[in-house]
Amino acid sequence: MSCLLQPTGVSRRGFTLVELLVVIAIIGLLVGLLLPAVQAVRETARRMQCQNNLHQIGIAMHNYHAAFRKLPPGGIEVRPETPRGKQIAWSAMVLPFLEQSAVYSQIDFNYAFDHPVNREVAATPIEAYLCPSTARPQVLNRGKGATDYGGIYGERILTTNYPPRGVLIHDQAIRFRDITDGLTRTLMISEDANFRDGQWINAWNLFDQAFPINRAPSFENDIRSMHPQGANGLFADGSVVFMNESMELELLASICTRNGNEQTADLDR
């Protein structure tokens, strides 16, 4: 008499299509929740690097002042005030104090920033002048080393800025004692990210503030950044502050002048 053996184990089966779709949906949801957090962490790191850049620039400006008892002029022979002028920027003059003496020694200050004799050195990228949050295909801006930082020439929010009342102005070197509003209340340099004339050798990287932070039209030199909700600024005392784009315009105007004698509260630091 033959006997039939019956299977004694539990039957096995794979995921059903519904179960697979549920798993995929859960994974997608988790990725969707995680990605913004990762991006926020990365942006925080980039913003800190940008602040470190400005901190290094601040040290360079203070060391320049210690060496020459004055800050560099915002620019030499800036056009169109000086037709066919040299138009060399403050950011070129402080290079030795940014550990860029080799680059500085190649600049011929007898010629304009865009003269052929300065073409090669002008195309040198300077890392301290580049904000990592600024998306750009290359570190050159129209063939010259880019900068995301501009000098403060004054403000046009409340006044015409004539004569200019910023810290970095054309053909004039300001001393710390000339900043009568106080070093802690006076903005010296700020972000002006990815602007058309943002070249470290070109003295058009100066501006008088005319709009709220991050709100200027693309053709205007102004405080702008790729950071959410604000931009970094370097004050004359060497401190770096993240300035919220909702800052009151009267306060913004006051910190952009060196001698306005405005009665304003200090920024949160």
Side-chain angles (χ1 to χ4, degrees), residues 76-79 82-88 109-114 201:
I76 298 172
E77 299 180 7
V78 180
R79 307 164 192 168
T82 305
R84 303 173 68 179
K86 297 175 183 176
Q87 198 164 296
I88 296 179
F109 286 89
N110 295 310
Y111 294 91
F113 83 100
D114 54 357
I201 198 171

Side-chain angles (χ1 to χ4, degrees), residues 1 12 20 43 59 106 109 151 153 164 174 182 265:
M1 178 177 178
R12 298 182 179 180
L20 185 61
E43 170 53 28
I59 292 174
Q106 297 176 56
F109 286 89
Y153 191 71
I174 300 298

Side-chain angles (χ1 to χ4, degrees), residues 17-75:
L17 179 60
V18 173
E19 291 171 331
L20 185 61
L21 291 175
V22 169
V23 171
I24 292 174
I26 292 173
I27 293 174
L29 179 62
L30 292 174
V31 171
L33 292 172
L34 183 62
L35 188 58
V38 172
Q39 291 174 333
V41 170
R42 288 177 177 173
E43 170 53 28
T44 298
R46 289 192 291 262
R47 195 174 91 177
M48 291 178 63
Q49 179 58 49
C50 177
Q51 291 173 333
N52 183 64
N53 287 349
L54 282 169
H55 179 66
Q56 296 302 316
I57 295 170
I59 292 174
M61 297 292 277
H62 274 250
N63 286 340
Y64 185 103
H65 191 283
F68 299 106
R69 298 184 181 179
K70 58 187 177 182
L71 293 168

Side-chain angles (χ1 to χ4, degrees), residues 62-226:
H62 274 250
N63 286 340
Y64 185 103
H65 191 283
F68 299 106
R69 298 184 181 179
K70 58 187 177 182
L71 293 168
I76 298 172
E77 299 180 7
V78 180
R79 307 164 192 168
E81 295 173 17
T82 305
R84 303 173 68 179
K86 297 175 183 176
Q87 198 164 296
I88 296 179
W90 61 270
S91 37
M93 301 175 207
V94 300
L95 285 175
F97 303 95
L98 277 173
E99 300 183 354
Q100 296 290 340
S101 295
V103 177
Y104 178 84
S105 65
Q106 297 176 56
I107 302 172
D108 193 332
F109 286 89
N110 295 310
Y111 294 91
F113 83 100
D114 54 357
H115 190 278
V117 74
N118 283 322
R119 180 179 296 128
E120 184 176 350
V121 64
T124 305
I126 305 295
E127 186 176 357
Y129 289 148
L130 300 173
C131 172
S133 288
T134 302
R136 52 167 49 91
Q138 56 180 350
V139 293
L140 299 183
N141 182 348
R142 294 183 296 139
K144 295 178 175 58
T147 181
D148 289 314
Y149 308 108
I152 303 299
Y153 191 71
E155 63 85 17
R156 286 186 291 120
I157 296 171
L158 302 177
T159 72
T160 60
N161 195 42
Y162 185 81
R165 295 189 298 157
V167 174
L168 293 171
I169 58 180
H170 301 167
D171 298 309
Q172 183 177 344
I174 300 298
R175 299 163 297 181
F176 283 149
R177 69 184 184 186
D178 299 324
I179 306 175
T180 56
D181 287 349
L183 303 187
T184 62
R185 296 187 177 190
T186 304
L187 190 64
M188 182 165 56
I189 296 164
S190 78
E191 291 189 80
D192 184 16
N194 207 22
F195 188 66
R196 183 178 184 274
D197 295 314
Q199 303 162 329
W200 61 258
I201 198 171
N202 181 359
W204 275 356
N205 67 348
L206 298 172
F207 58 91
D208 40 14
Q209 185 70 14
F211 298 88
I213 294 171
N214 290 342
R215 294 292 183 268
S218 59
F219 60 84
E220 277 278 3
N221 232 349
D222 225 59
I223 299 177
R224 58 164 60 82
S225 81
M226 301 301 173

